[in-house]
Each structure stands twice: as C-alpha cells, then as structure tokens.
C-alpha cells in the first residue's frame, strides 16, 4: 500500500491493487471495470491519473495481442491503448510506439505523422530524463530508448515521404475476419428428439410455442437470481413494450429506453463529442436542400453578357422566374452559350461538390466562399447588389454557371485540395463491433398476449429447414397478440429446426444472471476510448482553426494599416508620405518591446514577415522575425498589397480545408458513437431465452421420456412373460438339482447364477450319459456335488441367443429411439475421475512384447489358497457344471472364478478344513429371479469392502467414456472379433462386443435394457477377473480384449486407434554416441497429479501441454558404459511418426487431496493440447481435444464419466445412457473443486483437420 499513488484514499488504493491482481490473473474485464471507475475521480490527478491510464492501456495492449487472429478487434484494442497513452505526456514513448504500430497495420500517413510529432516530444522528455538520471544503469536504459525512438521517427518520416509518390495503404484483405470454427459437434445427438418432434401433432407443436409465464416462474423458482431477473425483464417489457434497453457501462450505469437518449448521455457525460464554446465557431454541414440542388442541375454555361442585359432590362421578369425556381435551384430561362471548355470545368466542379456532399464534408463556409465568385463577377459587370439579391442568385448553385474559365479553374483547384477520406481505422473498429454484434444478436421474436400471461415464440421456429433465415430486424419491439391461437393458426410446422434452436446456446450468455455491465465491457470501453481520442483530435483541429483565424485577423490589420495610410496621404504633404513597408516595419518596432508576450503581437509580427516574404503561406515561426522584416523595409507599395492579398487568400483556403477536415473527423466520431450506442444496447430476450430454452426443452423431453417409459415397461413386461414360459419349460426337463452343503452365508452374488456355458460343446460330449457326476473332494472337509444340466436347456440359453436378443426383439418398434436430448435440460453438474494406484497407471503403458510374455507366464501359474487366506465374496460364486467326460469335468472344476481370461492358470484347492465348496443346484425357477435394472448394483455394490462396487462403477463409466469418442464409434463396427482359445476370455469378448455394438449402433435406448446388457458383461468378467482395481486396470482389460478385434487388413482396433509407437533417442552431449533403441508401444502417458499442481503453482500462466513437457524433461538416460559409453546423463528425445486418433492421459493421485488441491490440479488441465510440443517428428499444431473423462468422487465413492456433447459437457449417470448438463469447461473445473472430484483418465481425440 505504501507505494500506491492513492495515499490519501485507502479505498482507492485497495481497488487499484485489486485491479492489478485481476490483470495478473488475466481477468481483464474486472480490471477494466475497476480502473474505469477510478478514472472518473482521478483522471485529472497528477501521478494517479497517469498511472491509471497506463494500466488501462496495458490491458488493451494484452487484449490486442490475444486477438491476433481477429485483425479488426486487435486493431480496436490497440487504438484504445494509444488513446489511453495519449492522455499523459509522460507516456509519450509508449504512445509513439503504439502509433507506429497502427500506422504499419493500416499504412496510414495520418498515424505516421502523429508518430513523428509524439516521437519528437518523447525524445525531448527522454533527453530531460537522461540528464536527471542518478546512475549509469538508468542512463543506459534511457539511451537505448532514445535510439529506438529516433529510428522509429526516421522510419515514419521515410514512409511519409514515400506516400507522396505512391500509395502505402495496407491491403484491406488483411482485415478480413477469418471464419470462426465452432466448438466440435459430436454427431447428430439430437436425432432421436428430432424424430419425436416430427411425430408430434401440429396442434401440440403450436401449443408448445405458447410459454406460460406462471409455469416459467415455477420452473426457475429454485434458481438463484433467475426469478428476480425474470420479474425485472417482464416489468420492463410491460412498461415500455420493448425488450431492448440501453445501459451505460460506466459506474453511472444509467439506462435508457432509446438509442438517442443513450447517445446524448454519452456525448454530454462521457466526452463523446466536442464543440467549441461559441456556437458561431461550430462548423456546419451543408443541408440536404442545397445538396439536392447541387445534384439536380444540368450545369450548362450561361451566356453571362445576355443574362446581365436581362437583369438590367427585364428585372421584374427575372425576379419572377428565379423566385419560382428557388426550390429546385435551376431555371431554364437563362440564356446558354456553347462553350465546351467552360462546360467541362462546370461538370468537374459539380462532381467535386457532389462527392463532398455524399461524404458529408461540404461545409456551409465552403459554399459561401464559392458563392462569392458569382457576386464579384456580376459586380464587375456593373450589376448592383440590390439586383443580385432580388434575383436570388446567391441562393442557388446555378449562379456558378455565370463564371468564366479563370474563376471556375480557381474553384476546381481548391476543391481538389480537400481530402475526402481519413485513413484512421474507423472502418476496422466498426467491423470489429459489427462482428460482435452479429454474434450476440437475438434473431427470434418473442411476443406477448394482451393478458400478459403467455410468451409467444417466433412462428418461424416451426418452419421447415428451407425456411427464410431470421433477419432480426424487429428492434426489440413487442407486439401484443389478441388471440394466440389465431396467431399460430397458419404457422407451418413441418421441420425440426426448433430442436437445433433449443440446443444452440451460442447466441446467449452461459452465465446467468450476469450483470449487464459485464456484457461486452472490454470492447465497449475500447470503442469509448476511440471516440474520446477522436474528440480530442477534433479539439486540436478547432484550436488550429482558431489560431489561423487570429492570424487572418493580423493580416487584415496589415491591410487596414495600408488603407489608413492611403487616407492619410490625401491630407499630408508629399514629403511626409511613407511607404507601406516602412509603416509596417515601424509599427513592429514599436510593438515588440511593449507586447513581447502578447499572442496578438506575435501573430502581427508573423503576418508582416510573411507579407514581406512573398505571402505564399502562413507561418508561425518567430525566429529572426525582426531581421527579416527590416530587410523588407524597402518593398514597393504595390508588392506589399499584392502579397497581402495572396496571404489573406491562402489563410482563407486553409481555414476552409480545416473545416472539411473537422467534418471528416466528426464523421468518424459519429460512426464510432453509433457503434458504441449499439454496444450499449442490451436485449432482454437474451435473459428470456436462457430461461425459455431449458423450460421448453424440459417440456418436450418430459413428453418424450413418458413415451419411452411406457414403451420400456411394455417391452419388459413382454420379456418377463417370455422368461417365465422358458423357466417353466426347463423345470420339466430338470432331473437333478445341486445341493448346497456349505454352512457359510451366501453373498448377494450367489443370487445371480450364470447358466450359460463359456464354451460350445462338441458333438461327442452330447452322447455321454446323463447320470455322470464329478467328485473333487480329497477329504471330508471339502465336498462338491456336481449337478447334471440337460444339454438342450443349455443350448436354449446359449450366449448368442441370450437375454440381449430377447430384449432387442421385444423393444423393436418401441419409442426407445431417443436418448441424448435428455442431457440438454438438466442443471450443470460435473464429476471427473476416481482414485488410481501407481500400479494401475503403470499398466497403461504396456509394451506389447512384455504383455504377451506376461500372459504366457500367467497361463502356467497356479494360485494356491491356504487356510489363512481371506476369501472374497466374489470368489464364493457357485460354479455351474455341464455333463462332460470325467476328465474334462475334473479339469474344469479346478478353474477358479477370479481368473483373468487366458492370463491366469487353474486354481489348486488345498485340502483344509477351512474351505468347503459344494456344487450349486441350478434351479430353473431362479431365472425368474434374475435381476433387471438393479441387477448390477444389487450384485456388486453390497459386496463387503466396496471394492467390487468401485470396479462396477469404473467399468460402467470407462465404457461410456470410450463409446463417446467419435472416431471409436465410427470405427468399432468395422472390426470383427477374432476367435480366442481361452473359453472364459471368449465369454468376456462376446459380452463386451454385445454391449459396445449395441450402444454405438444405438440399438438400445432405455435405461433398463442398458443395465441388463451391462450386467451380462459384469457376470462374464466376474469369472475371469478379480473385480478389484481402479479405472486404469479396467481400461487395460478392455483394450487387451480389443486386441482381438481386427479389420479386413487384420489390423487390431487397439493398434489402429490407441497405440502410440514411440522411439526414445539420446545423443550424448559428451561423447556424441547415439544409441539405437527399439520402439516402445504405449496407450498414452501417466502423470502425477501433485506434479501438475506444483508446476502450475510454480510457473503461473503455463499451458497444460507445457506442464507435461516440463515433467518429461526430468526423464534422462545414462550413456551406457557397458556398451562403450561415457556414463554421462543426457536428456531424452521422444519421437513418433504417427499420431494415434485417440490419446490417453492418466493422472495418479497419491493421497486424499483437499478441495483446494483438487481444484488447483483441475484448473491446470485444458481441453485442447498440441502433442507436437511433447513429441518430435510431428507437424506443428497437432491438436487433440478432450472428449471424455473418467474420475472418482470422494464424497459419493463412485466413478463418474464426463462427455462432451452438443457444445457442452455432460455428466453421464450410473447404469444409464442419460445425463445431466454441466456446461462449459470452466463449470467442469469449478465443479471438480467443489465436489472433490479427482480426474483420473482423460481421453483426447485428434481433430478432424489432422486426420485428412
């Protein structure tokens, strides 16, 4: 606080430091808001005002660099930065640099000249500061800056000189805005909801367009701030009959009901206009009437001599027809003459005047100057002033046609000197504002009924896809509809555009309710600064004009002195007459000592000096002024009079040129102010749509959900009926039952019995006797009775014709076609990932050769259980024995139920008294008890310890995350499962293929069906896996299974989509050896969560991909001494030649992190990364985007899947295909911190542009 310039105002000091903190965090809008408030009170304060301007300019400079891809917006922020720097003379160097940048971008002589002026001012200040510097370091710094300024000034002067011979303007194509690529859209996820909408009756569709205000109030009642915002908007609409309001974004926050009121406020209260104090000094534009007269005439040369005769001899007749032609400005009664040269000059003058009129820079002063020529000409022809007035000659442009060639040439020459364009970047600022306004413009109308009870949506939303585009030309006005039914009676209702409209949130703000001041604040303040900068330029021009008028008064005084001397000469003797030059010189000698500091005296000296110098142009240089005046003391009187007249004419023309420049600058001010006023407008429909869209979508989804629910209930009823019939048939065929002799309590898993064999039976086995049984007991403590199951029963329940097929056939034709629209109406909610052990993460990086070797070892390994081993409830699941040969049955009975496919060998059961197993009797009636929608949670979530429940949720969410990857959904159906030798692994593969294929092909839509098929997979995995571990182990299990899925070229699905072939290269920095290491295969990379958090905290503003890169720098290799190396530690270069379509990142969490630590880690993550920064051998900008995540929540003790759908993040529910809307990535980050959600697996997808 001590270093703050606001020592006497503690509150201002706190606000200033808050603004600096916001700038450091990149929160520019908040910082601008604070600085703008402080500037209203401290703008004129020495020290504090300059500091505030500097900070605000610094923000705009950052914004300009950040918007480099939008050249118009970048230019706007840069101009605002220059405008801020120009307010403090101590910031001249920075201002000159900004002006030079503006000039280079535009190729503008205007800004080059301004750069030279401000640069020279900065050089003067630099010289002063260099002399005042206390140490050599500061002097060296100032010297470097001074040299840079000198080079910049010289460069500007060079381009100014170049502009005199050729155009230096930049190509306008540089400022063509690139098309903004929208966030990736994940396919047509609304297809189901579109079909549902198409099937609705037209009357229902029209009714849905009528939104009840009371229902809308109830819908938003529990949303914080939403109901209050709704009531304010409705009250404003009812009072003013419009949606649009205009709000000043400064601290005054004044609001207005019209653009004109807002514009007046900005002009009067926020320096958005400049006019001189005296009204007579204001430059006036030529009116529309005179402009029409100029454009409408034929401009044919008049026979002046004959016209003068008519005036002198037929004055009354002339008065009559000129009076009649005053409105049009032209009369066909004047005599014409054939003179092609005069006609050409007249046409040239007309074109110049018309051009000035069209650009609105033709001032009344220029018109008056032009009209003096006909008056002088007619006076020379002895036409009286009274006759000139009676004929209204000076009131029409036709009088110019009386002039001769000399006068017309003089007028044309002057008009050609007037600049019609000002290359100041106004076009760029206006385009930037228009681009933003076009993006945020509300294109749909919202009307009200006369009772103020219904909101009536735009009828065009009901039109077909080829309907006319929305034009958004209603200006926010509200129509009050008497009969809503009649209003919609003729509305077309054939298309499904409304579904896209409901899912499109790009036109409305995602944070709600948001203070109006925050809307467009950055560009609003930038355009305001541009307007104020233009107004200061106007003030400078008016000051220059005032100086010229005072100079002209001095010249007129010189002329008057000469006239007075003429009068004096008439009454004095000849010897007392003095020349004009002597008179003027003597007067200067008298006034110089007395009025040395007087502006009038100095201007008089300059005027006399310029008259004696030839009178070509006014100067304001007092250097050696008196010596030059004394040198001209001998000039003759006629020369003095001639030079005085020339100088007076030159000053008059310069004043007129300044008038045109003032109007030209004012045109820029008006255009910028118009855009600022448009940016000040706030359409309350943007608030309304944020409430109406989810409300209306909720109504449609509820209707659709009811239809789906009814269809699902009917399908499941049919399914249960079929199962009951099947079970009754089996009961009749059963001959033996399995008896349970164990005294241990059965776990909930015992209730789910898989009766399907994992292998197909050979024909020889079908001929074996039905009475064969198997005993595996080696002592009295271990007893197992095998149950004989009829082979026909098993064939009827084979896996290929099992439950999913019955479900699919039962649900055929039902309303189970619609799914993902449910995601779009739910409240924002986010979860990311679950706990993960290092051993799980290490499995994510398998070397293919090592994996194969490990599998072979596991196939031969036998696991022995001792009496002290704790038996998991999952291991107590009873086995089902089919009638096989004794040898086969004995071998199969030794196979454990926790074996992982072909990777684990059979289990040897020790002969102890602590382990007892009996074969389970398979009761066909148990089929009826097979769980439906709650089977998975019933089986696993109640297991002691919760490990199986975590595995269950990890599998569910990992599968959802995988099938939400576009490229995987597109490719998975192109691959076929290859047969494997291991029967249990084959069983898992079949179940996995059933689930994934059904989800991807959208054959299942209802929650119950999805749960049943997921149950099928879990039961299969139960027999081959320990069901323990985190998401990384689940992912590796799935990917290992997918190795068997191959396409027509026999390429594995995993190899094609997931495998990353990496070559690690090392070049010894000491001995230069470059060992040749073999390629390493992996699915992605593993990162410690605390490392990400620590690097982010250490470096601050660092990208996520750079955090990964910094971490990988710690990976080093030794130059192997055993192979002839030197033992030096070297960095490793990671090289890949092919980008896998899917890139995986696993986060390791070492402990139960706090909410703050989780939030800091999640904030470091980004949804788009460029892996060319991680690996060599890739093209730059090899971009991947995050499409799904799996995480673990500490509070809920469950895994969560987040998927990116329809331009927003969705939280997919457990055991369901539906989800809840979370929103933007910022919402995801915020939610993870609040709910202690730990991201574990991130799935990135290669962008489409990189795949082509």
């Amino acid at each position: 606080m001590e270093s703050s310039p606001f020592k006497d105002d503690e509150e201002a000091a706190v606000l200033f430091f808050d603004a600096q903190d916001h700038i450091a965090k990149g929160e520019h809008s908040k910082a601008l808001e604070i600085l703008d408030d402080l500037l209203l009170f401290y703008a004129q304060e020495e020290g504090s005002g300059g500091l505030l301007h500097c900070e605000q300019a610094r923000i705009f400079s950052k914004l300009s660099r950040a918007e480099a891809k939008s050249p118009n917006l970048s230019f706007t922020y840069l101009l605002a930065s220059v405008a801020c720097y120009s307010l403090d003379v101590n910031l001249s160097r920075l201002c000159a640099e900004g002006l030079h940048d503006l000039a280079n971008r535009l190729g503008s002589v205007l800004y080059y000249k301004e750069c030279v002026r401000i640069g020279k001012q900065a050089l003067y200040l630099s010289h002063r500061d260099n002399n005042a510097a206390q140490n050599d370091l500061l002097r060296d710094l100032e010297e470097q800056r001074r040299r840079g300024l000198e080079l910049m000034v010289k460069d500007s002067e060079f381009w100014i000189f170049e502009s005199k011979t050729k155009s230096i303007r930049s190509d306008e194509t540089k400022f063509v805005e690139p098309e903004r690529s929208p966030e990736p859209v994940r396919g047509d996820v609304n297809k189901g909801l579109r079909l549902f909408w198409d099937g609705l009756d037209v009357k229902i569709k029209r009714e849905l367009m009528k939104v009840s205000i009371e229902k809308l109030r109830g819908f938003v009642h529990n949303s914080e701030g939403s109901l209050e915002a709704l009531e304010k908007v409705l009250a404003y609409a009812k009072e003013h009959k419009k949606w649009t309001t205009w709000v000043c974004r400064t601290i005054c926050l004044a609001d207005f009901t019209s653009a004109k009121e807002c514009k007046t406020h900005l002009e009067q209260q926020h320096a958005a206009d400049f006019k001189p104090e005296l009204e007579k000094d204001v430059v006036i534009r030529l009116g529309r009437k005179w402009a029409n007269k100029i454009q409408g005439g034929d401009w044919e040369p008049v026979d002046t001599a004959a016209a003068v005769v008519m005036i002198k001899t037929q004055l009354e007749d002339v008065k009559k027809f000129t009076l009649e032609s005053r409105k049009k400005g032209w009369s066909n009664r004047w005599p014409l003459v054939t003179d092609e040269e005069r006609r050409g000059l007249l046409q040239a003058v007309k074109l110049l005047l018309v051009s000035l009129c069209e650009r609105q820079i033709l001032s009344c002063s220029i018109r008056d100057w032009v009209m003096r020529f006909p008056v002088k000409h007619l006076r020379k022809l002895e036409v009286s002033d009274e006759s000139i007035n009676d004929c209204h000659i000076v009131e029409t442009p036709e009088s110019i046609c009386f002039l001769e060639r000399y006068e017309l040439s003089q007028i044309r020459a002057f008009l050609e000197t007037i600049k019609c364009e000002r290359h100041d970047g106004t076009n760029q600022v206006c385009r930037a504002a228009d681009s933003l306004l076009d993006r945020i413009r509300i294109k749909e109308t919202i009307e009200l009924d006369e009772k103020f009870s219904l909101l009536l949506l735009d009828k065009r939303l009901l039109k077909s896809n080829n309907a006319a585009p929305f034009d958004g030309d209603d200006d926010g006005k509200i129509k009050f509809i008497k009969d809503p039914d009649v209003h919609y009676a003729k509305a077309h209702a054939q298309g499904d555009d409304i579904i896209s409209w409901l899912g499109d949130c790009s036109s409305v703000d995602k944070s709600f309710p948001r203070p109006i001041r925050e809307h467009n604040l950055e560009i609003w303040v930038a355009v305001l600064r541009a307007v104020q900068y233009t107004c200061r330029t106007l003030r400078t021009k008016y000051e220059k004009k005032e100086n010229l008028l005072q100079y002209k008064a001095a010249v007129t005084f010189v002329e008057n002195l000469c006239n007075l001397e003429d009068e004096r000469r008439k009454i004095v003797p000849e010897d007392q007459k003095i020349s004009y030059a002597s008179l003027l010189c003597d007067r200067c000698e008298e006034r110089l000592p007395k009025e040395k500091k007087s502006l009038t005296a100095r201007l008089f000296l300059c005027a006399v000096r310029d008259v004696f110098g030839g009178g070509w142009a006014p100067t304001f240089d007092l250097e050696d002024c008196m010596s030059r005046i004394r040198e001209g003391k001998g000039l003759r009187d006629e020369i003095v009079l001639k030079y005085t007249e020339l100088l007076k004419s030159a000053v008059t023309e310069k004043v007129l040129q300044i008038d045109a420049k003032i109007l030209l600058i004012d045109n820029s001010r008006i255009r910028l102010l118009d855009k600022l006023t448009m940016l000040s407008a706030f359409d309350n429909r943007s608030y309304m749509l944020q409430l109406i869209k989810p409300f209306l979508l909720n109504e449609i989804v509820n209707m659709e959900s009811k239809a789906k629910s009814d269809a699902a209930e009917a399908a499941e009823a049919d399914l249960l009926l079929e199962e009951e019939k099947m079970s009754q048939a089996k009961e009749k065929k059963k001959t033996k039952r399995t008896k349970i002799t164990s005294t241990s309590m059965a776990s909930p898993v015992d209730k789910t019995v898989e009766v399907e064999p994992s292998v197909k039976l050979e024909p020889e086995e079908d001929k074996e006797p039905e009475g064969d049984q198997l005993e595996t007991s080696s002592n009295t403590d271990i007893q197992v009775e095998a149950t004989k199951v009829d082979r026909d029963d098993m064939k009827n329940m084979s896996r290929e014709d099992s439950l999913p097929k019955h479900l699919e056939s039962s649900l055929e034709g039902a309303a189970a076609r619609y799914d993902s629209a449910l995601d779009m109406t739910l409240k924002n909610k986010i979860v990311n990932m679950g706990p993960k052990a290092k051993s799980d993460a290490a499995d994510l990086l398998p070397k293919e050769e090592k994996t194969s070797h490990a599998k072979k070892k596991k196939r031969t390994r036998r696991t022995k259980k001792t009496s002290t081993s704790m038996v998991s409830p999952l291991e107590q699941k009873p086995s089902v024995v089919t009638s096989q040969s004794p040898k086969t049955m004995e071998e199969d009975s030794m196979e454990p139920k926790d074996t992982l496919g072909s990777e684990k060998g059979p289990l040897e059961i020790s002969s102890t008294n602590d382990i007892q197993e009996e074969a389970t009797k398979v009761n066909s009636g148990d089929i009826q008890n097979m769980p439906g929608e709650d089977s998975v949670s019933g089986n696993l979530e109640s297991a002691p310890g919760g490990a199986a429940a975590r595995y269950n949720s990890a599998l569910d969410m990992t599968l959802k995350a995988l099938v939400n990857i576009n490229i995987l959904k597109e490719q998975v159906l192109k691959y076929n499962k290859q047969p494997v030798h291991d029967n249990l692994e084959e069983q898992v593969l079949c179940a996995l293929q059933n689930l994934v294929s059904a989800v991807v092909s959208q054959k299942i839509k209802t929650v119950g069906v999805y749960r049943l098929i997921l149950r099928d997979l879990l039961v299969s995995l139960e027999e081959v896996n320990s069901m323990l571990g985190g998401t990384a182990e689940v992912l590796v299990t799935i990917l290992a299974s997918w190795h068997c899925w191959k396409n027509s070229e026999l390429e594995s699905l995993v190899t094609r989509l997931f495998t990353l072939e990496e070559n690690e290269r090392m070049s010894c920095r000491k001995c230069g050896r470059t060992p040749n290491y073999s390629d390493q295969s992996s699915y992605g990379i593993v990162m410690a969560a605390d490392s990400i958090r620590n690097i982010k905290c250490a470096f601050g503003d660092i990208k996520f991909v750079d955090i990964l890169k910094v971490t990988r720098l710690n990976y080093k290799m030794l130059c192997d001494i055993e192979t002839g190396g030197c033992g030096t530690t070297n960095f490793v270069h990671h090289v890949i030649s092919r980008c896998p379509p899917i890139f995986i990142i696993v986060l390791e969490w070492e402990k139960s992190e706090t909410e703050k630590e989780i939030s800091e880690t999640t904030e470091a993550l980004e949804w788009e990364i460029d892996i060319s920064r991680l690996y060599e051998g890739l093209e730059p900008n090899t971009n991947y985007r995050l499409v799904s995540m799996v995480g673990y929540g500490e509070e809920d003790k469950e895994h969560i899947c987040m998927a990116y759908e329809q331009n927003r993040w969705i939280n997919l529910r457990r055991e369901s295909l539906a989800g809840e809307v979370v929103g933007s990535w910022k919402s995801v980050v915020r939610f993870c911190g609040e709910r202690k959600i730990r991201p574990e697996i991130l799935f990135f997808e290669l962008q489409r542009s990189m795949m082509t």
Side-chain angles (χ1 to χ4, degrees), residues 69-89:
K69 294 182 179 179
S70 301
N72 294 311
L73 189 56
S74 177
F75 180 89
T76 301
Y77 287 135
L78 179 59
L79 179 59
S81 174
V82 170
C84 294
Y85 284 134
S86 67
L87 290 166
D88 192 335
V89 68

Side-chain angles (χ1 to χ4, degrees), residues 711-738:
E713 289 178 4
E716 291 185 22
D718 294 340
L719 172 65
L720 292 175
L721 183 60
E722 287 188 31
E723 289 180 348
E724 184 177 357
K725 292 179 180 179
M726 188 186 303
S727 299
Q728 292 175 357
K730 288 181 180 180
E731 281 186 3
K732 297 178 182 180
K733 297 180 180 180
K734 300 279 183 193
T735 57
K736 291 189 178 181
R737 299 178 180 272
T738 304

